Amino acid sequence: MDFDRKQLTNGQLLDLYRKLLKPRLIEEKMLILIRQGKVSKWFSGIGQEAISVGVTAVLQPDEYILPMHRNLGVFTGRDIPLYRLFSQWQGKANGFTKGRDRSFHFGTQEFKIIGMISHLGPQLGVADGIALAHKLRNEGKVTAVFTGEGATSEGDFHEALNIAAVWELPVLFIVENNGYGLSTPTNEQYRCENIADKGIGYGMEAHIIDGNNILEVYTKLDELVASMRENPRPVLLEFKTFRMRGHEEASGTKYVPQELMDAWAVKDPVENYRNYLKANFVLTDDYDDKLRAELKKEIDEHYQQASAEPAIVASLGEELNDVYKPYAFEEVKPDGATENIRMIDAIAQGLKQSMQRHENLVIMGQDIAEYGGAFKITDGFVAEFGKGRVRNTPICESAVVSAGMGLSINAYKSVIEMQFADFVSTGFNPIVNYLAKVHYRWQENADVVVRMPCGAGVQAGPFHSQTNEAWFTKTPGLKVVYPAFPYDAKGLLATAINDPNPVMFFEHKALYRSAYQDVPTDYYTLPFGKASLLKEGNDVTIISFGAGVHWALETLDKNPDIKADLLDLHTLQPLDTEAIFESVKKTGKAIILQEDTLFGGVASDIAAMIMEQCFEYLDGPVKRVGSLESAIPFTKALEDQYLPKQRFETALRELTAY
């Protein structure tokens, strides 16, 4: 191994040795503990320490690092107290996740480290968002994100690299190529000679670095990072390395040829660097022994401190309270004139006024800049707010959602427009596995609103017509908003943007230009979890949202003999159960109308709750009405048959006659 110290002093060389040795000694301790059954799982980074240590050493303390589960050197390099790491690994309260997640699945704003989730790929897009925030503030900061050679096959890798290249974001994409994705060798994962070659397709600077040579890692990155701070741009780095243990300890290494293990054993990053320092009279045996004893003492003391902590006691209240970041709704009442406008105008107005109110709000989506979006909601926004805050995105929903998470981590708000709600399926993973879980896992919030133009009735066919709110009401940690009228849409959108939690904001396309209402011209907010009672009667309770509210109103107009309470829910998470139960207890009958297909929809849960909470008040079965159990057809006759509007009238009359 060829070490070149360049201009580094003896002190710098020894500091790197200390940083390299510390995670190795912790790993050796962990391997003992796992054999003793005192740790449940461990992902060893033995053989790869030089990458984590070198990257962390060249970055400034306030520059974010997004490591993987083999990057212990990142955490020790940022001087996290070891007892907190041991507490994390033992599921103790002094860890970072309150026992809710293990190993390195956590983040910490204190140390500017953002940990991974098991799906790997989304953190690359998160790095894009963090770097975008730095760039918008002209801070000259670099963001480093780690991944393995296996994850470079994921779509998120390619999406994140493309976004970073197009937006010229200062992100270090660090690929630790250790030869195996669990047991699958690289020749079964990709055909290009080097992963660095993938950067060419994205117009991105790329380098191959010996990941076992701490001096090569440090000196090359030190120069590169300084250049990136001056000239913001993404860089792809492929570090050639090897892991000497299994993917995790239980999996072993039997799938690795022994000759390969032997070849990499002689490239050990710690031992080779130690020998180099000794040969060059920088490190003495006495200092080495003293340093090892000092580090082992620190490790043992901190392990004992963590082990002495009591086990976490389950608290039902704390578990449920941590699903969402606490948010005290701030009511802003309109003051002044109103104008009769369409739903689409109300949304555009609310979005524009929020952009004026929040200078840290960024809008992202396909064709939303000069073109104004598929529905022209953001038309003219670029002229007022600039392309920095109104950003056209490539067609890559997953990385864009992840970038929204990154913006939130770095003190920005974001609104992401899905061109059609149907397309959210390609961004589903970061929504339900990152945004929804991040506050529960390590008390970080996701200040992201995802706008969802949805719904049928406009003959758009199977891929542009879904109303898929049930995908998200099922997921704890998300808030789901679904207005039916312009007034509500504007006020609820303002609240969604103010709320620090992730919000799925559904906008029915058929209502965009058909629903008119007098709407205040001023900025105002409306609370989540408060339904509107649009009509009052004692015969039956009708519960609906979105376009279904308008169908119910039309049906009641056609049937004036039916005196109903009509509840417009506004939000599905949180849900106004109090208003539902109060009305059902009064009328004794309930029917829920939704546009979504029936099985597994929101109506099913509302019906179940009514049965559980209001059973003794019921004078008839709780009815549900929804669309046919099929995809959404294109032709009008088939779409009319698919939608529940006509069937609702029949079901309503049957229930009132029961």
CSV table of all heavy atoms in Angstrom, one decimal, residues 158-191:
chain,number,residue,atom,x,y,z
A,158,HIS,N,-30.1,6.5,-9.0
A,158,HIS,CA,-30.0,7.2,-10.3
A,158,HIS,C,-30.8,8.5,-10.3
A,158,HIS,O,-30.4,9.5,-10.8
A,158,HIS,CB,-30.5,6.2,-11.4
A,158,HIS,CG,-29.7,5.0,-11.5
A,158,HIS,ND1,-28.6,4.9,-12.2
A,158,HIS,CD2,-29.9,3.7,-11.0
A,158,HIS,CE1,-28.0,3.7,-12.1
A,158,HIS,NE2,-28.8,3.0,-11.4
A,159,GLU,N,-32.0,8.4,-9.6
A,159,GLU,CA,-32.8,9.6,-9.5
A,159,GLU,C,-32.0,10.7,-8.7
A,159,GLU,O,-32.0,11.9,-9.1
A,159,GLU,CB,-34.1,9.3,-8.8
A,159,GLU,CG,-35.1,8.5,-9.6
A,159,GLU,CD,-36.4,8.3,-8.9
A,159,GLU,OE1,-36.7,9.1,-8.0
A,159,GLU,OE2,-37.2,7.4,-9.3
A,160,ALA,N,-31.4,10.3,-7.6
A,160,ALA,CA,-30.7,11.3,-6.8
A,160,ALA,C,-29.5,11.9,-7.5
A,160,ALA,O,-29.2,13.1,-7.4
A,160,ALA,CB,-30.3,10.7,-5.5
A,161,LEU,N,-28.7,11.1,-8.3
A,161,LEU,CA,-27.6,11.6,-9.0
A,161,LEU,C,-28.1,12.5,-10.1
A,161,LEU,O,-27.4,13.6,-10.3
A,161,LEU,CB,-26.8,10.4,-9.6
A,161,LEU,CG,-25.6,10.0,-8.8
A,161,LEU,CD1,-26.0,9.4,-7.5
A,161,LEU,CD2,-24.8,9.0,-9.6
A,162,ASN,N,-29.2,12.2,-10.8
A,162,ASN,CA,-29.7,13.0,-11.8
A,162,ASN,C,-30.1,14.4,-11.3
A,162,ASN,O,-29.8,15.5,-11.9
A,162,ASN,CB,-30.8,12.4,-12.6
A,162,ASN,CG,-31.2,13.0,-13.8
A,162,ASN,OD1,-30.3,13.4,-14.6
A,162,ASN,ND2,-32.5,13.2,-14.1
A,163,ILE,N,-30.9,14.4,-10.2
A,163,ILE,CA,-31.3,15.7,-9.6
A,163,ILE,C,-30.1,16.5,-9.2
A,163,ILE,O,-30.0,17.7,-9.5
A,163,ILE,CB,-32.2,15.4,-8.4
A,163,ILE,CG1,-33.6,14.9,-8.9
A,163,ILE,CG2,-32.3,16.7,-7.6
A,163,ILE,CD1,-34.5,14.6,-7.7
A,164,ALA,N,-29.1,15.9,-8.5
A,164,ALA,CA,-27.9,16.6,-8.1
A,164,ALA,C,-27.2,17.2,-9.3
A,164,ALA,O,-26.7,18.4,-9.2
A,164,ALA,CB,-27.0,15.7,-7.3
A,165,ALA,N,-27.1,16.5,-10.3
A,165,ALA,CA,-26.4,17.0,-11.5
A,165,ALA,C,-27.1,18.1,-12.2
A,165,ALA,O,-26.5,19.2,-12.5
A,165,ALA,CB,-26.2,15.8,-12.5
A,166,VAL,N,-28.4,18.0,-12.3
A,166,VAL,CA,-29.2,19.0,-13.0
A,166,VAL,C,-29.2,20.3,-12.2
A,166,VAL,O,-29.2,21.4,-12.7
A,166,VAL,CB,-30.7,18.5,-13.2
A,166,VAL,CG1,-31.6,19.6,-13.7
A,166,VAL,CG2,-30.7,17.4,-14.3
A,167,TRP,N,-29.3,20.2,-10.9
A,167,TRP,CA,-29.4,21.3,-10.0
A,167,TRP,C,-28.0,21.8,-9.5
A,167,TRP,O,-27.9,22.7,-8.7
A,167,TRP,CB,-30.3,21.0,-8.8
A,167,TRP,CG,-31.8,20.9,-9.2
A,167,TRP,CD1,-32.3,21.1,-10.4
A,167,TRP,CD2,-32.8,20.5,-8.3
A,167,TRP,NE1,-33.7,20.9,-10.3
A,167,TRP,CE2,-34.0,20.5,-9.1
A,167,TRP,CE3,-32.9,20.1,-7.0
A,167,TRP,CZ2,-35.3,20.2,-8.6
A,167,TRP,CZ3,-34.2,19.8,-6.4
A,167,TRP,CH2,-35.3,19.8,-7.2
A,168,GLU,N,-27.0,21.1,-9.9
A,168,GLU,CA,-25.6,21.4,-9.5
A,168,GLU,C,-25.5,21.5,-7.9
A,168,GLU,O,-25.0,22.5,-7.4
A,168,GLU,CB,-25.1,22.7,-10.1
A,168,GLU,CG,-25.1,22.6,-11.7
A,168,GLU,CD,-24.6,23.9,-12.3
A,168,GLU,OE1,-25.0,25.0,-11.9
A,168,GLU,OE2,-23.8,23.8,-13.2
A,169,LEU,N,-25.9,20.5,-7.3
A,169,LEU,CA,-25.8,20.4,-5.8
A,169,LEU,C,-24.5,19.9,-5.3
A,169,LEU,O,-24.0,18.9,-5.8
A,169,LEU,CB,-27.0,19.5,-5.3
A,169,LEU,CG,-28.4,20.0,-5.7
A,169,LEU,CD1,-29.4,18.9,-5.2
A,169,LEU,CD2,-28.7,21.4,-5.2
A,170,PRO,N,-24.0,20.5,-4.2
A,170,PRO,CA,-22.7,20.1,-3.7
A,170,PRO,C,-22.8,18.8,-2.8
A,170,PRO,O,-22.8,18.9,-1.6
A,170,PRO,CB,-22.2,21.3,-2.9
A,170,PRO,CG,-23.5,22.0,-2.5
A,170,PRO,CD,-24.5,21.7,-3.6
A,171,VAL,N,-23.0,17.7,-3.5
A,171,VAL,CA,-23.2,16.4,-2.7
A,171,VAL,C,-22.0,15.5,-3.1
A,171,VAL,O,-21.7,15.3,-4.3
A,171,VAL,CB,-24.5,15.7,-3.1
A,171,VAL,CG1,-24.7,14.4,-2.3
A,171,VAL,CG2,-25.7,16.7,-2.8
A,172,LEU,N,-21.4,14.9,-2.1
A,172,LEU,CA,-20.5,13.8,-2.3
A,172,LEU,C,-21.2,12.5,-2.2
A,172,LEU,O,-21.7,12.1,-1.1
A,172,LEU,CB,-19.4,13.9,-1.2
A,172,LEU,CG,-18.2,14.7,-1.3
A,172,LEU,CD1,-17.3,14.7,0.0
A,172,LEU,CD2,-17.3,14.3,-2.5
A,173,PHE,N,-21.4,11.9,-3.3
A,173,PHE,CA,-22.0,10.5,-3.4
A,173,PHE,C,-20.9,9.5,-3.2
A,173,PHE,O,-20.1,9.3,-4.1
A,173,PHE,CB,-22.7,10.3,-4.7
A,173,PHE,CG,-23.9,11.2,-4.9
A,173,PHE,CD1,-23.9,12.3,-5.6
A,173,PHE,CD2,-25.2,10.8,-4.3
A,173,PHE,CE1,-25.0,13.1,-5.8
A,173,PHE,CE2,-26.3,11.6,-4.4
A,173,PHE,CZ,-26.2,12.8,-5.2
A,174,ILE,N,-20.9,8.9,-2.0
A,174,ILE,CA,-19.8,8.0,-1.6
A,174,ILE,C,-20.3,6.5,-1.7
A,174,ILE,O,-21.2,6.1,-1.0
A,174,ILE,CB,-19.4,8.3,-0.2
A,174,ILE,CG1,-18.8,9.7,-0.1
A,174,ILE,CG2,-18.4,7.2,0.3
A,174,ILE,CD1,-18.7,10.2,1.3
A,175,VAL,N,-19.7,5.8,-2.7
A,175,VAL,CA,-20.1,4.4,-2.8
A,175,VAL,C,-19.0,3.5,-2.3
A,175,VAL,O,-17.8,3.5,-2.7
A,175,VAL,CB,-20.3,4.0,-4.3
A,175,VAL,CG1,-20.7,2.5,-4.5
A,175,VAL,CG2,-21.4,4.9,-4.9
A,176,GLU,N,-19.3,2.8,-1.2
A,176,GLU,CA,-18.3,1.8,-0.7
A,176,GLU,C,-18.5,0.5,-1.4
A,176,GLU,O,-19.4,-0.3,-1.1
A,176,GLU,CB,-18.6,1.6,0.8
A,176,GLU,CG,-18.4,2.9,1.7
A,176,GLU,CD,-18.7,2.7,3.1
A,176,GLU,OE1,-19.8,2.4,3.5
A,176,GLU,OE2,-17.7,2.8,3.9
A,177,ASN,N,-17.6,0.3,-2.3
A,177,ASN,CA,-17.7,-1.0,-3.1
A,177,ASN,C,-16.9,-2.0,-2.4
A,177,ASN,O,-15.7,-2.1,-2.6
A,177,ASN,CB,-17.2,-0.7,-4.5
A,177,ASN,CG,-17.4,-1.9,-5.5
A,177,ASN,OD1,-17.8,-3.0,-5.0
A,177,ASN,ND2,-17.3,-1.7,-6.8
A,178,ASN,N,-17.6,-2.8,-1.6
A,178,ASN,CA,-16.9,-3.9,-0.9
A,178,ASN,C,-17.1,-5.3,-1.5
A,178,ASN,O,-16.8,-6.3,-0.9
A,178,ASN,CB,-17.2,-3.9,0.6
A,178,ASN,CG,-18.7,-4.2,0.8
A,178,ASN,OD1,-19.4,-4.8,0.0
A,178,ASN,ND2,-19.3,-3.7,1.9
A,179,GLY,N,-17.6,-5.3,-2.7
A,179,GLY,CA,-17.6,-6.5,-3.5
A,179,GLY,C,-18.8,-7.4,-3.4
A,179,GLY,O,-19.1,-8.2,-4.3
A,180,TYR,N,-19.6,-7.2,-2.3
A,180,TYR,CA,-20.8,-8.0,-2.1
A,180,TYR,C,-22.0,-7.2,-1.6
A,180,TYR,O,-21.8,-6.4,-0.6
A,180,TYR,CB,-20.5,-9.2,-1.1
A,180,TYR,CG,-19.6,-10.2,-1.7
A,180,TYR,CD1,-18.2,-10.1,-1.7
A,180,TYR,CD2,-20.1,-11.4,-2.3
A,180,TYR,CE1,-17.4,-11.1,-2.2
A,180,TYR,CE2,-19.3,-12.4,-2.8
A,180,TYR,CZ,-18.0,-12.2,-2.8
A,180,TYR,OH,-17.2,-13.2,-3.3
A,181,GLY,N,-23.2,-7.4,-2.1
A,181,GLY,CA,-24.4,-7.0,-1.5
A,181,GLY,C,-25.0,-8.1,-0.8
A,181,GLY,O,-25.6,-9.0,-1.4
A,182,LEU,N,-24.8,-8.2,0.5
A,182,LEU,CA,-24.9,-9.4,1.3
A,182,LEU,C,-24.1,-10.5,0.7
A,182,LEU,O,-22.9,-10.5,0.9
A,182,LEU,CB,-26.4,-9.8,1.5
A,182,LEU,CG,-26.8,-10.5,2.8
A,182,LEU,CD1,-28.2,-10.4,3.1
A,182,LEU,CD2,-26.3,-12.0,2.8
A,183,SER,N,-24.7,-11.4,-0.1
A,183,SER,CA,-23.9,-12.5,-0.6
A,183,SER,C,-23.7,-12.4,-2.1
A,183,SER,O,-23.1,-13.2,-2.7
A,183,SER,CB,-24.5,-13.9,-0.3
A,183,SER,OG,-25.8,-14.0,-1.0
A,184,THR,N,-24.4,-11.4,-2.7
A,184,THR,CA,-24.4,-11.3,-4.2
A,184,THR,C,-23.2,-10.5,-4.7
A,184,THR,O,-23.0,-9.3,-4.3
A,184,THR,CB,-25.7,-10.6,-4.7
A,184,THR,OG1,-26.8,-11.3,-4.2
A,184,THR,CG2,-25.7,-10.6,-6.2
A,185,PRO,N,-22.3,-11.1,-5.4
A,185,PRO,CA,-21.1,-10.4,-5.9
A,185,PRO,C,-21.4,-9.4,-6.9
A,185,PRO,O,-22.4,-9.4,-7.6
A,185,PRO,CB,-20.2,-11.5,-6.5
A,185,PRO,CG,-21.2,-12.6,-6.9
A,185,PRO,CD,-22.3,-12.5,-5.9
A,186,THR,N,-20.4,-8.5,-7.2
A,186,THR,CA,-20.6,-7.4,-8.1
A,186,THR,C,-20.9,-7.8,-9.5
A,186,THR,O,-21.6,-7.1,-10.2
A,186,THR,CB,-19.4,-6.4,-8.0
A,186,THR,OG1,-18.3,-7.1,-8.3
A,186,THR,CG2,-19.3,-5.7,-6.7
A,187,ASN,N,-20.3,-8.9,-9.9
A,187,ASN,CA,-20.5,-9.4,-11.3
A,187,ASN,C,-22.0,-9.9,-11.5
A,187,ASN,O,-22.4,-10.1,-12.7
A,187,ASN,CB,-19.5,-10.5,-11.7
A,187,ASN,CG,-19.7,-11.8,-10.9
A,187,ASN,OD1,-20.5,-11.8,-10.0
A,187,ASN,ND2,-19.0,-12.8,-11.3
A,188,GLU,N,-22.7,-10.0,-10.5
A,188,GLU,CA,-24.2,-10.3,-10.6
A,188,GLU,C,-25.0,-9.1,-10.4
A,188,GLU,O,-26.3,-9.2,-10.3
A,188,GLU,CB,-24.6,-11.4,-9.7
A,188,GLU,CG,-23.9,-12.8,-10.0
A,188,GLU,CD,-24.3,-13.9,-9.1
A,188,GLU,OE1,-25.4,-13.8,-8.5
A,188,GLU,OE2,-23.5,-14.8,-8.9
A,189,GLN,N,-24.4,-7.9,-10.2
A,189,GLN,CA,-25.1,-6.7,-9.9
A,189,GLN,C,-25.1,-5.6,-10.9
A,189,GLN,O,-26.0,-4.9,-11.1
A,189,GLN,CB,-24.6,-6.1,-8.5
A,189,GLN,CG,-24.9,-7.0,-7.3
A,189,GLN,CD,-24.7,-6.3,-6.0
A,189,GLN,OE1,-25.3,-5.2,-5.8
A,189,GLN,NE2,-23.8,-6.8,-5.2
A,190,TYR,N,-23.9,-5.5,-11.6
A,190,TYR,CA,-23.8,-4.6,-12.7
A,190,TYR,C,-22.8,-5.0,-13.7
A,190,TYR,O,-21.9,-5.8,-13.4
A,190,TYR,CB,-23.5,-3.2,-12.1
A,190,TYR,CG,-22.2,-3.1,-11.3
A,190,TYR,CD1,-21.0,-3.0,-11.8
A,190,TYR,CD2,-22.3,-3.2,-9.9
A,190,TYR,CE1,-19.8,-2.9,-11.1
A,190,TYR,CE2,-21.2,-3.1,-9.1
A,190,TYR,CZ,-19.9,-3.0,-9.7
A,190,TYR,OH,-18.8,-2.9,-8.9
A,191,ARG,N,-22.8,-4.4,-14.9
A,191,ARG,CA,-21.9,-4.8,-16.0
A,191,ARG,C,-20.8,-3.8,-16.3
A,191,ARG,O,-19.9,-4.2,-17.0
A,191,ARG,CB,-22.7,-5.1,-17.3
A,191,ARG,CG,-23.4,-6.5,-17.2
A,191,ARG,CD,-22.4,-7.6,-17.1
A,191,ARG,NE,-23.0,-8.9,-17.1
A,191,ARG,CZ,-22.5,-10.0,-16.5
A,191,ARG,NH1,-21.4,-9.9,-15.8
A,191,ARG,NH2,-23.1,-11.2,-16.5
